[in-house]
Amino acid sequence: MKLLLHMCCGPCSAYPIKRLRDMGYEPTGYFFNPNIHPYKEFKHRLETAIEFAEKVQLPITVDREYTLEAFLMSALNAPNGRCIVCYELRLRQAAKFAKENGYEVFTTSLLVSPYQNHEVITATAKRIAEEENIKFLYEDFRTGWYEGVDISKNLELYRQPYCGCIFSERDRYYKKKNKK
Ligand code: SF4
């Protein structure tokens, strides 16, 4: 079955790719993440995703679209929090790409992270799958979080210190400073 894995980054894709291959899928990676700021960091993560794909012989498509203004406007105006619109943006694009390119099913590496809102990601992906008329594969990749960390370290991949957007980049310093 042709499966598209939306890759939020290289390191987070390490365990999902292993698990999907163990399950009998031949996944293709798809990088689409205009939520990553600043642009230099976006490029670094994109290059790391390509490096990862080469190291594990994973076919990959990268979408270099970088709609910074649109992302910031939607994140700032999001009534229920910026992460919800961030998941929606990326998963919608992945589902559309999968549908247009003959994939039967899609899933996302976002499901590996214990730091993301797993339930919201799952509900969003299921809704989008129905709306775009494509299957979504749910798998709780969080069980392999530490295994994925080990794989990414063994592959000597760059591991980013914050989620992605400029708000999360601020929070890693600002919140710590305020706690002190
Ligand atoms: S914290 Fe992460 S998931 Fe939430 S909006 Fe920022 S980049 Fe997206």
Side-chain angles (χ1 to χ4, degrees):
M1 193 181 260
K2 275 186 80 179
L3 179 145
L4 191 78
L5 174 76
H6 166 256
M7 299 169 69
C8 61
C9 64
C12 283
S13 303
Y15 177 75
I17 288 299
K18 178 180 179 294
R19 175 77 186 124
L20 290 167
R21 284 175 169 168
D22 287 348
M23 291 165 76
Y25 290 103
E26 287 182 17
T28 294
Y30 179 65
F31 184 96
F32 172 72
N33 302 289
N35 57 306
I36 300 169
H37 313 149
Y39 183 66
K40 207 170 167 188
E41 176 73 15
F42 169 80
K43 270 190 73 185
H44 199 170
R45 294 193 199 183
L46 187 153
E47 282 157 10
T48 303
I50 294 171
E51 179 191 345
F52 165 72
E54 284 172 357
K55 285 179 172 171
V56 299
Q57 286 87 48
L58 175 75
I60 184 173
T61 295
V62 296
D63 187 333
R64 294 169 192 269
E65 188 179 340
Y66 196 66
T67 49
L68 177 63
E69 291 84 356
F71 176 85
L72 288 175
M73 276 182 23
S74 60
L76 285 169
N77 292 315
N80 300 312
R82 64 178 185 255
C83 298
I84 293 176
V85 296
C86 183
Y87 299 147
E88 169 83 27
L89 171 73
R90 293 185 282 166
L91 294 172
R92 175 79 60 187
Q93 179 64 22
K96 280 182 188 287
F97 181 87
K99 181 80 184 167
E100 285 163 10
N101 289 278
Y103 292 90
E104 294 160 84
V105 58
F106 80 103
T107 189
T108 175
S109 61
L110 288 166
L111 293 171
V112 81
S113 172
Y115 305 108
Q116 298 288 343
N117 192 329
H118 194 87
E119 287 68 33
V120 171
I121 294 166
T122 305
T124 304
K126 283 182 177 170
R127 175 175 49 75
I128 289 172
E130 274 194 31
E131 290 167 0
E132 300 294 338
N133 195 23
I134 185 166
K135 284 185 192 141
F136 164 67
L137 175 78
Y138 172 73
E139 182 72 14
D140 191 350
F141 294 126
R142 290 175 299 184
T143 55
W145 168 252
Y146 290 106
E147 191 177 342
V149 170
D150 287 345
I151 296 170
S152 65
K153 285 182 178 170
N154 288 338
L155 291 175
E156 299 182 337
L157 299 179
Y158 162 64
R159 294 185 53 79
Q160 61 268 12
Y162 62 99
C163 186
C165 65
I166 198 68
F167 309 106
S168 60
E169 198 275 345
R170 172 205 57 195
D171 289 349
R172 72 183 169 135
Y173 298 114
Y174 189 69
K175 277 189 180 165
K176 268 189 213 158
K177 187 175 158 242
N178 274 7
K179 265 187 196 165
K180 280 179 197 165

